[in-house]
């Protein structure tokens, strides 16, 4: 037995064309799901009398055999196996003969492959959900460990205002929470069973699609057989999910790359997560963070490419849809590697407190003076300008705000203390931001409590 | 008054740099939302005593004046207005003088612009939700009107099996339902208030962020001030939503373009939605469908571009984030034009029943013979091959399946009727697919009922 | 021996991090080029006395041994081989011991990998250049074979004007010619040698980079060592080249998919390049053309993803650059499969002349009447309107332009013949377009001659 | 007069559909090119007698009038003008009546719009070519001015080896040279005239397309009329060119953003090219560099989107092609703003020599020790390991390489000097890299000479 569809054809497929057409190189990971769906399908065929009890038992035994061959990697893929479905049905023939030919009754590869894919996606989603939660957990743990450490907060990569390092760690927690929310959404939305849609028009035998769906762990059958075989929304949504996660991780990675330069020196990356140079003996390179950053680009490309594949497809099923699998599988592989690496880096990097505090120069506290003036009734806009001019003077004179004379300060406002030490104390500045979501210790502790709860729920 | 931040600077901004930097050309549509958020912000400043009652009233009166200037388009944007926020604060100064300078107390453009954007997004989302529902409604109505008409179902753009035209219309309903589900998800996820996060570290004054959020219609404040100013997940999600919708519409558009060729002739597009040629007097071109198709490409590009912008951004707020608005706004504009055009086309196109039925040649029914053989106990795989060979013979002899001799049929299986008319009746073939989700009349009517309900709920 | 850079490190690389970091899975195809560049590098080291004659001979013998192991696929990759360079140097150690440690003198993996890549690119470019020329050749041959056949020309997928089928085939020749021009450009632009740039600062030993470049077949050394190790313009250009080719092929594929529908029926695809359905015995699906179309999307995604990777990279060499290879290699593989498949399809598809001529209905000739009126001095704009109205009348009355009464025609213009047969003869209409580039037989024959010449030159 | 094609239509275009269809909002910038091409076209119509001398003169006078209305912006666009071509022909009617109707003889908007576009592209290309050269000039000038300054060279954003700052500036020169090479290539490739191709089949009147091409400044006519109206390769190539330029600039911008942080402090950006914060008076933000970086993302998206639009288009001209203009024009606008801003920044930024030299810590010179050992005959691989271990020891002991004891050094190699000062002198290390393309003063001066020459030639 060769192709599943040879009857109508007079000549063989061209060898390069066959190579272009074959998907077995990348769809083999669907094998366990294909066996499982086939087993349930056989059950339903038996229920409606299209398989005799004996045939049914033969098929189940054959599938069990195949299942263990898949698991222990002894399954032999043959050159003529164009895809995972063909390979498994071919093997079933070898094992049980004629009855194998009854398994494909009432189904088509069109509904079969989508069913396999969704079963895989559910499992893959679970793996990534856990890996994401691990990163979130590491961020919370860091936030707790590092409580008390201040760091310059940056905008435009320029020092802006002092913040708690813990506050910064947590700012990377929430995007991942949104990613988990989206993952849950997309898995739920995709949890409808395509099987029983056949090629596109529906199944001509009285299969109970609701029971079938339930047995395979779906919430319900897909309600329109054409949509069931032609939609790749689940794949596209997965790629967008992966893009968002990678973009979030790339932002964290970029910051850590900058923070671990000699110049910033805020953190040191552990040997286990850096590499050396083949030529410069002193180098410790943040390769893992750079690859994390790079994979964001690659993943965006996978999403883009697949959306572009989908665009304009006219019919229920077009072969173009086959491009879903290389894109989704390679993205899954890369993400399921990156996430634990990031967890590992977060857990093992070393913070350098002296470098952090060296970064808190008085200029970062300029806003505090403006805020003080506001409390004296000066409009913020005017206060901002007055302080801006003061900062410029300091820069010109090469002094810090702490060195401004009492006279100069008095000219700005009579109530300004003659010495700004207390006003420009970064610790007090941090604690002043005590509203919900702010950077004060209290606010951050509240976030930590909330974040721990969110690990086990979505909102 | 010129820039909001001039104090610290010694020289003017370069004129081309200022042009590159300015966002007023594309962020002006945030103006009404900016006024609304400012008005509520002033209320909260008054609550905590940072505005006197009189100042508060002046500000509110000024904002009302500005609001009506925005509405009647008499607001004058000046060359120095770098963005919508600056323009409005500048105008407030002109109207009420000094107290205007107090409005920016405790907030920053970083939290302000995200608040404005999310308020806009909520409104834009509502508009698109309605427009999507209109397209869905049009599809259901078509499905109801066209009940009884059969059409060849296609896979690979090759005739596959007969289906009900109504079944096909509905296959375009469900993707849009998923789009509405996703839109609802993203709007809910984004419904947290950034205001009160200030530049990145949180607000130093005792603003009640929960009340603030509530007044602006948000579910709660965003829980981390850094995340609040740096996240553009809502914009990215919107662009993905728009990409999915456009891809779905591009597939419908492509099919209708093909169906309205002279060769297929299944539908005729109304004059109101086609254009002519400047040189060929006979042409009626499906420009609107082609543009619908093309916009899918452009929208994918907007999504890609913006994800690529976001990638690698290290700090809380980087100016790069400003690229969210041209991408999102142009995508909204194009989608809010395309959706009603598609509704219009669906409602006014004319189906050509004679062309439809001409397409239902007996070859489409080949699977029926195989299915018949299965019911006689022949394995499907074998039945498929037998029929495949028969089809090939017919093609070689230039006859249809209806012209095969009784002898030849008997050779395949003794129970095969000598005349295949009834077995190859497309109507019966359609009605055989009566399982949930199949193409039979009953199944389609069930879908129509379900679909009508889904118009007013998400699942 | 394990990593090339272990000296400075206290602890082992994390196992997942190592997996993320390793590129051997995808860079192994550089092996023969790495050996070749190493061999030349060793020669130059010997020239300047950094290798003794004996060491040099040992290294060359070792490299020859490795070369044959690569060729006969007996080379054993070990788990610790992080990339192709490491693997080969590790093997060299096994074969010749200590002297192997001298090969990496004065070079870095940064300049090494780019040299290998460009050597590979030159070869890959040659393969694709030939494959492209084969497709062009097939198009010209078709144009010659099909001379005399007319086909409706389409705009907006609506019948527009009759053209020669050969003219249409040739319209797909010229885009590929531009692709070959661009390929030649990018290969020439990239033909500068990075070797001798070391990590980023240049080589501290008196290597003659011009001789080195020449021996490796480059035009010259790259003129700036930082640019040499950080540029990936060649990879990006290759991906754009591949995107353009794929887009061009996707347009041809799409047209052939449409032309091979039952409804159009202009061409029949050979069995060798179609596949069947697992469920519908009558199906012949244009899978290869659909995959050609789909790969355009995937390739666009590879380009996008890689450009997005490159964006924002700050230093000479960042690890992100490693993403060039999976993108470029997978794109090359897919293109080098698609091109010969398309050639095969072009050479073996069967044109159906009766379907072609059935498509040439008189309405396509409406412009001819307008053109006739122009020659009588009527402004084209007015002629267009008069004929437009005539076409509308015909459509309303259900007649063709050939059936319009002489009276009606006389009302348009006195000189219009009472019978339009000759004016509406598609053959004459085609021959009227005899200017350079037009669809007349003469013009098409001129194109064929020109195209044959262009096969062996670029412009 | 309304549409150019109304004759065949019974009802008006739907108002939203008309809005979707209209391109006048973005194609108006083609107006001067449309007038110029029309003027030449009229000349050719007169040559072959399709315009009388009087008609020709009327048309030319009308076009001159329109030309000046375009120039002084007094041209009134009307609601019914769907595109630039319609608007101009409509205006010509108003000015000269009936003869205006003869201008469109033998041409179609399909060939007309491509001709206009290519004329625009040639001009736009020239503008960008100059702006690119200005940036290159600024880089060379900086390289000359900054000769003598050393800076740490980075890989992986980790300090690697000392280099000349001038060498680094020049590393950003060469990518832009490649961009100019590519721009020249694409403009030459695109310099073929589409006019005379009509809708798709060629022109039925004896127009001399070679003379026409020549008058419009093209090298020749396009050789296939279908290709002439359906190719958008020039637009796609332009978008790729812009993507490459933006990616190159984004890498420079990213480096300058990092270099201008307080922590690095290598450069200070001038006030004229930075902006302030609305809330933090001390901030000086590199907004222009961030926008330069961000525009790379947006431009990649435009390229992606447009390639995705092109993919799968089946016929000669499909309306989808209209999406070329918004993509290309917005990209041109943004690039023609960014390039001079970058030139301005390069010319006005201030380098901080003390920060540069502070960055040259001895660790960067570790490779020098390894290189020294190589000259003593120790295999590089072994030397690398020995020095790596030394670096690790130093880090553990908190000392620099300069503080290593003579005993310890002797253990590595007897010839190692007891004091490493001279070996670790960054100046000497830089000068050692004196091969072509290396970072030594001589090599850099050679580059400067070469680069100045390259400003006025391509290779």
């Amino acid at each position: 037995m060769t192709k599943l569809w040879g009857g109508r054809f007079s000549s063989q497929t061209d060898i390069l064309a066959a190579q272009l057409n074959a998907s077995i190189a990348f769809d083999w990971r669907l094998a366990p799901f294909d066996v499982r769906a086939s087993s349930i399908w056989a059950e339903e065929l038996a229920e409606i009398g299209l398989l005799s009890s004996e045939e049914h038992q033969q098929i189940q035994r054959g599938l069990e055999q195949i299942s263990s061959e898949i698991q222990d990697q002894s399954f032999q893929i043959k050159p003529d196996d164009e895809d995972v479905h063909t390979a498994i049905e071919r093997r079933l023939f070898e094992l049980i003969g004629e009855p194998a030919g009854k398994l494909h009754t009432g189904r088509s590869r069109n509904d079969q492959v989508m069913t396999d894919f969704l079963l895989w996606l559910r499992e893959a989603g679970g793996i990534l959900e856990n890996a994401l939660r691990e990163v979130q957990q590491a961020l919370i743990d860091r936030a707790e460990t590092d409580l008390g450490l201040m760091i310059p907060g940056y905008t435009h990569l320029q020092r802006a205002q002092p913040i708690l390092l813990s506050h910064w760690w947590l700012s990377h927690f929430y995007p991942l929470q949104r990613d988990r929310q989206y993952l849950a959404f997309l898995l739920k939305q995709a949890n409808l069973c395509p099987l029983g849609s056949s090629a596109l028009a529906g199944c001509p035998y009285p299969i109970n699609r609701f029971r079938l769906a339930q047995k395979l762990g779906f919430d319900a059958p897909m309600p329109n057989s054409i949509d069931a075989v032609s939609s790749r929304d689940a794949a596209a949504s997965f790629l967008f999910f992966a893009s968002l996660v990678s973009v979030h991780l790339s932002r964290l990675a970029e910051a850590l790359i900058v923070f671990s330069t000699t110049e910033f020196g805020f953190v040191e990356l552990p040997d286990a997560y850096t590499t050396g140079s083949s030529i410069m003996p002193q180098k410790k390179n943040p390769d893992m963070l750079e690859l994390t950053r790079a994979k964001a680009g690659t993943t965006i490309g996978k999403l883009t490419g697949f959306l572009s594949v989908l665009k304009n497809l006219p019919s229920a099923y077009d072969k173009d849809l086959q491009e879903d699998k290389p894109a989704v599988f390679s993205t899954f592989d890369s993400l399921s590697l990156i996430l634990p690496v990031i967890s590992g880096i977060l857990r093992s990097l070393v913070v350098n407190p002296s470098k952090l505090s060296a970064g808190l120069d008085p200029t970062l506290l300029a806003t505090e003076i403006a805020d003080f003036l506001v409390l004296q009734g000066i409009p913020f806009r005017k206060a901002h300008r007055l302080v801006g001019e003061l900062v410029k003077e300091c820069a010109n004179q090469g002094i810090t705000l702490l060195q401004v004379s009492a006279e100069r300060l008095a000219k700005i406002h009579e109530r300004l203390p003659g010495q700004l030490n207390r006003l420009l104390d970064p610790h007090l500045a941090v604690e002043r931001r005590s509203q919900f979501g702010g950077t004060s210790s209290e606010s951050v502790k509240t976030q930590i409590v909330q974040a721990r709860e969110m690990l086990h729920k979505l909102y």
Side-chain angles (χ1 to χ4, degrees), chain A:
Chain A
M1 178 210 165
T2 53
K3 298 282 174 276
L4 300 183
W5 41 264
R8 182 233 185 290
F9 284 71
S10 312
S11 66
Q12 291 291 312
T13 308
D14 171 82
I15 189 146
L16 290 179
Q19 214 175 319
L20 176 62
N21 190 50
S23 58
I24 189 94
F26 52 79
D27 69 11
W28 181 248
R29 77 172 73 191
L30 294 180
F33 305 97
D34 197 71
V35 170
R36 184 170 157 221
S38 286
S39 167
I40 302 289
W41 184 249
E43 238 178 82
E44 293 298 307
L45 289 178
E47 285 278 355
I48 59 171
L50 287 176
L51 292 181
S52 71
S53 168
E54 197 189 351
E55 289 165 338
H56 183 206
Q57 281 180 17
Q58 285 178 284
I59 285 177
Q60 295 299 4
R61 254 183 257 121
L63 289 173
E64 275 162 37
Q65 167 68 15
I66 291 170
S67 182
S68 63
E69 289 178 10
I70 292 167
Q71 218 166 348
D72 64 18
Q73 299 184 27
S74 65
F75 190 103
Q76 298 286 324
I77 295 170
K78 303 227 167 138
D80 255 11
D81 293 340
E82 62 178 316
D83 56 31
V84 61
H85 324 295
T86 308
I88 288 173
E89 196 173 325
R90 185 260 311 152
R91 180 68 183 135
L92 192 62
F93 255 102
E94 293 171 359
L95 292 169
I96 67 167
E98 275 278 293
K102 294 200 163 182
L103 178 58
H104 208 58
T105 309
R107 75 175 181 187
S108 149
R109 282 185 297 184
N110 295 356
D111 57 343
Q112 193 180 354
V113 69
M114 266 315 289
T115 306
D116 295 358
F117 180 81
L118 292 178
L119 291 173
W120 172 86
L121 185 64
R122 204 193 291 153
E123 195 167 296
I127 292 167
L128 294 180
E129 213 266 329
N130 279 330
L132 270 169
R133 196 190 281 111
E134 287 294 317
V135 179
Q136 291 184 292
Q137 182 79 61
L139 285 163
I140 299 176
D141 291 353
R142 280 241 69 114
E144 200 145 55
T145 308
D146 295 341
L147 261 173
L149 292 175
M150 282 184 300
I151 187 174
Y154 293 80
T155 59
H156 308 265
L157 209 54
Q158 293 288 325
R159 290 178 185 169
Q161 294 179 327
I163 55 173
L164 288 190
L165 176 54
S166 302
H167 193 53
W168 187 81
W169 289 124
L170 290 169
S171 76
H172 291 279
F173 168 90
Y174 293 98
L176 301 179
Q177 185 69 11
R178 287 191 291 274
D179 294 336
R180 285 208 298 123
Q181 290 165 356
Y182 179 47
L183 178 59
F185 166 81
L186 85 86
L187 289 175
K188 179 182 162 34
Q189 193 184 48
N191 204 32
L192 299 175
C193 183
L195 204 57
S197 298
S198 201
L200 83 159
C203 178
Y205 309 109
I207 288 286
N208 182 335
R209 288 190 67 212
F210 287 91
R211 191 173 55 202
L212 179 68
Q214 194 190 13
K215 283 181 179 174
L216 287 165
F218 290 103
D219 294 333
M222 283 194 78
N224 180 291
S225 58
I226 301 175
D227 182 43
V229 298
S230 61
S231 171
R232 287 302 182 271
D233 288 0
S237 298
F238 176 82
L239 290 171
F240 179 61
F241 157 74
S243 295
L244 271 184
V245 173
S246 326
V247 164
H248 292 147
L249 296 179
S250 82
R251 295 178 76 168
L252 174 59
E254 173 81 6
L256 291 178
I257 288 169
V258 170
F259 287 178
S260 64
T261 56
T262 311
E263 291 75 9
F264 277 76
F266 292 168
V267 301
E268 190 180 1
L269 301 174
D271 283 8
Y273 293 100
T274 48
T275 62
S277 155
S278 72
I279 184 162
M280 293 165 289
Q282 85 281 9
K283 289 296 294 288
K284 264 183 69 176
N285 295 326
D287 290 48
M288 313 312 156
L289 294 171
E290 292 172 286
L291 287 170
T292 298
R293 187 172 69 175
K295 291 290 184 192
T298 300
T299 306
I300 292 169
K302 297 275 164 85
L303 168 65
T304 300
F306 186 58
L307 287 173
S308 178
V309 166
L310 285 181
K311 178 182 163 274
N312 297 16
L313 293 187
S315 15
Y317 179 85
D318 300 290
K319 185 61 165 248
D320 316 58
L321 297 176
Q322 178 171 294
E323 291 287 289
D324 59 351
K325 281 174 282 299
V328 166
F329 293 163
S330 63
T331 298
F332 170 78
D333 289 345
S334 122
L335 207 50
S336 60
L337 209 48
I338 286 171
L339 284 165
V341 167
I342 291 289
S343 296
I345 290 174
L346 288 172
R347 292 199 173 284
S348 57
L349 60 77
V350 176
V351 175
N352 185 339
S354 68
K355 277 286 204 172
L356 293 187
S357 53
L360 300 168
D361 70 273
T363 325
L364 275 85
L365 284 310
T367 315
E368 303 310 297
I369 314 179
D371 283 336
F372 176 88
L373 296 174
V374 161
L375 294 175
Q376 315 315 315
I378 297 186
F380 179 77
R381 194 50 70 210
K382 186 177 171 188
H384 182 281
R385 198 179 62 247
L386 292 170
V387 180
E389 287 161 5
L390 186 66
V391 168
K392 183 166 63 181
E393 271 178 46
C394 289
N396 290 342
Q397 297 167 26
I399 61 172
T400 76
L401 284 169
L402 291 172
Q403 298 166 301
V404 176
S405 72
E407 291 75 28
R408 178 63 183 88
L409 293 174
K411 269 204 276 183
I412 295 179
H413 196 278
E414 54 191 12
R415 292 241 193 101
L416 258 189
Q419 236 296 351
L420 294 176
N421 291 40
R422 205 172 149 70
L423 198 53
L424 301 189
D425 179 329
H427 181 67
L428 295 178
V430 159
E431 294 306 337
R432 251 172 238 135
R433 274 120 186 113
S434 60
Q435 307 316 315
F436 182 80
T439 196
S440 77
S441 310
E442 270 326 293
S443 165
V444 168
K445 283 177 191 157
T446 303
Q447 288 178 52
I448 291 176
V449 171
Q450 187 200 32
R452 286 218 186 282
E453 280 169 13
M454 289 177 101
L455 281 178
H456 303 291
K457 55 179 199 179
L458 290 175
Y459 289 93

